[in-house]
Amino acid sequence: MKAATIRSFFENSNQNGFGFLTVVVLFYLFVFFFIQFFQHKKRYYLLYSLYALVNAASLLKYIDGVFFSDFFDTSLGRVYDRAIHYPSQLFGSLFFSYFIIEIMQLRKTFPKSIKVIDVAYLVSSIIFLVLWGVYMNDYSSYLIDYFHAYVFLILSYIVFFAAFYMVAKGNMAIKGYILSGMSVLVISYFAISVMSMRAMTANRETLYIYYIGILIESLLFALAIGLEQKMVYREKALVQKKYIQQLEENQTMKESINRTLSEELLQTKTEIEDLSAEAQRERTEKLTMKFENKFAQLRLNALRSQMSPHFIFNALNSIKSYFIDNDQEKAIFYLSKFSKLIRCILESSRAEEISLKEELDILEMYIAIENDRFKNDIQFKIASDEGIELENIMIPALILQPFIENAIWHGLSTKKGEKLLNLSVGYSKLPNTIEISIADNGVGRRVSEDRNLTNPLKKESLGLTLTRDRLDLFSKKFQKHYSYRIEDIIDETIGDALGTRVVVQIPNA
């Protein structure tokens, strides 16, 4: 008796409010996940909200005894029913399939299979909509019925089970909820399809199977979406923790550099005062040389101290933009590269000279970080002549960085189109001398100078000024030739600038 009563209740779902409850739940899910889409910008929120809307709209006509029931007995209601019946089948299948693809990230794990699904759905959807248009023009046409029953419905089941297999192969935490929801839905939908295959329409007395299936599926998918959002928040919190740790490490390094600089300033001041007190006329040139050498070292340290805060500021702005874009993987990758570069700069600052290979390694990291903010538009290449051993060539530490920085910011940053930056190491015409060439295809010095004239705040580059002074002091100290020159790359046919080349000459003996 109880079983008969329960069965009777469910068979009368369209009259006793159970069907109406299902429609209300679907409309609620549509509104809720549509709002979530605008808050979190995740496409699977939008797809699931539209899927819920399509289901709710297609079930309205089956509900009896509510305020909108009489509408479907009117001529306008019958037109509405005919208009949405077939599109709801099409878009319901599309929204559901792509919801599964998006939330389970199947495009990453099965890219080729998803492309096949895309093509199959695109072709079948175009045919479906064309036949629907024929049907709307002539209600006696059965072409869309045949296509839906024998083509699109079969395709939907194939895509469903293919997606089911791909989800089962995945390793996401929400896999169990998704598989359970898909299983419940396909069982209920298959039962309804079998029962209504002859009539080509849903059997009202068996719709309760679909109502129960859609409610259970909605609960399971809601749990899956909630768990996925929880995992995203957890991952974001972990990234933020690493970000804060990196900031603290950078602040510690900055404070260490400032303390070292203050100590060196105090020590240099004391040495200068002692040297001035002991100076004699016959030792004036020697003492002056020592003073200039110390002063150059102090200016180099000042440059490094300026460079670290500048780099930290720019890098943190880039990292901040990645967090705004919710790109945690790239933010962590950028933090690692930035930290490695800072460590290399600190290590090189302890030595007066480093090998050319070490210098080039630092430059590659520097350009990689700068280039990231230019959307990787700059193509940087390093080449060296055969027989040159980069490990055995010693150069002043960080001597090439100002040239690279000028090439990027004054030559390439405002250039449109292809951006090239080439560094080559070769033998100079001078004996026992290595020639390092840095060439870019930027706007050229003339355009850059014209822009500087219009901006009174632009001044001569501090990096180039210090570089020139350091090379002069190295020449005097070691009695060898250290120099650089800057020249324009000119198109000889029309006389236009094709870029700028810096040539640095370093002794190799």
Side-chain angles (χ1 to χ4, degrees), residues 73-316:
D73 294 328
T74 65
S75 58
L76 183 60
R78 286 189 289 271
V79 172
Y80 167 83
D81 182 24
R82 290 170 178 170
I84 73 162
H85 176 69
Y86 291 108
S88 66
Q89 305 297 317
L90 170 66
F91 290 108
S93 179
L94 291 176
F95 291 144
F96 178 84
S97 299
Y98 283 105
F99 163 73
I100 299 298
I101 290 171
E102 285 295 324
I103 196 170
M104 291 301 298
Q105 302 177 16
L106 298 182
R107 288 190 185 277
K108 294 182 180 180
T109 51
F110 300 92
K112 294 182 179 179
S113 300
I114 301 305
K115 286 183 180 179
V116 173
I117 292 174
D118 291 339
V119 173
Y121 265 145
L122 176 62
V123 174
S124 62
S125 297
I126 293 174
I127 298 174
F128 197 106
L129 292 174
V130 170
L131 296 179
W132 174 73
V134 173
Y135 169 76
M136 292 300 297
N137 188 54
D138 180 10
Y139 291 143
S140 63
S141 173
Y142 289 97
L143 292 176
I144 193 170
D145 293 318
Y146 296 133
F147 183 80
H148 174 258
Y150 300 112
V151 178
F152 188 77
L153 191 61
I154 295 174
L155 173 63
S156 297
Y157 275 116
I158 292 174
V159 172
F160 180 91
F161 288 111
F164 192 93
Y165 171 79
M166 288 185 278
V167 172
K169 284 290 185 179
N171 56 4
M172 296 182 66
I174 62 174
K175 179 174 71 174
Y177 291 118
I178 296 297
L179 291 176
S180 300
M182 293 176 71
S183 300
V184 170
L185 187 64
V186 74
I187 292 171
S188 62
Y189 191 75
F190 183 75
I192 293 295
S193 298
V194 170
M195 294 178 182
S196 59
M197 186 67 72
R198 290 185 178 180
M200 291 296 179
T201 184
N203 188 336
R204 290 175 177 268
E205 294 183 355
T206 59
L207 271 179
Y208 69 89
I209 299 175
Y210 185 68
Y211 293 153
I212 295 173
I214 200 71
L215 289 176
I216 297 175
E217 173 249 16
S218 299
L219 173 62
L220 292 171
F221 282 2
L223 291 173
I225 293 174
L227 179 59
E228 174 66 13
Q229 194 61 36
K230 180 180 179 181
M231 299 298 292
V232 170
Y233 283 142
R234 184 177 298 174
E235 183 179 355
K236 187 175 181 180
L238 180 61
V239 172
Q240 289 177 341
K241 182 179 179 181
K242 292 182 179 179
Y243 174 61
I244 293 172
Q245 291 175 347
Q246 187 64 52
L247 289 180
E248 292 174 349
E249 183 179 347
N250 292 338
Q251 182 64 28
T252 302
M253 288 190 292
K254 181 180 177 181
E255 292 174 355
S256 176
I257 293 172
N258 290 336
R259 284 196 302 269
T260 303
L261 180 59
S262 299
E263 293 172 359
E264 290 183 358
L265 282 170
L266 181 61
Q267 182 179 356
T268 302
K269 180 180 179 181
T270 303
E271 291 180 4
I272 291 174
E273 291 175 351
D274 293 340
L275 291 172
S276 298
E278 297 174 0
Q280 298 176 5
R281 188 173 300 175
E282 63 272 16
R283 300 175 59 195
T284 299
E285 184 177 351
K286 182 178 179 181
L287 292 175
T288 302
M289 177 63 72
K290 185 174 182 180
F291 169 80
E292 289 179 347
N293 190 28
K294 284 288 185 180
F295 187 65
Q297 186 66 32
L298 179 61
R299 293 174 72 181
L300 173 61
N301 290 335
L303 173 62
R304 291 167 184 156
S305 179
Q306 294 283 338
M307 181 179 178
S308 293
H310 174 73
F311 238 75
I312 292 172
F313 176 78
N314 286 333
L316 292 184

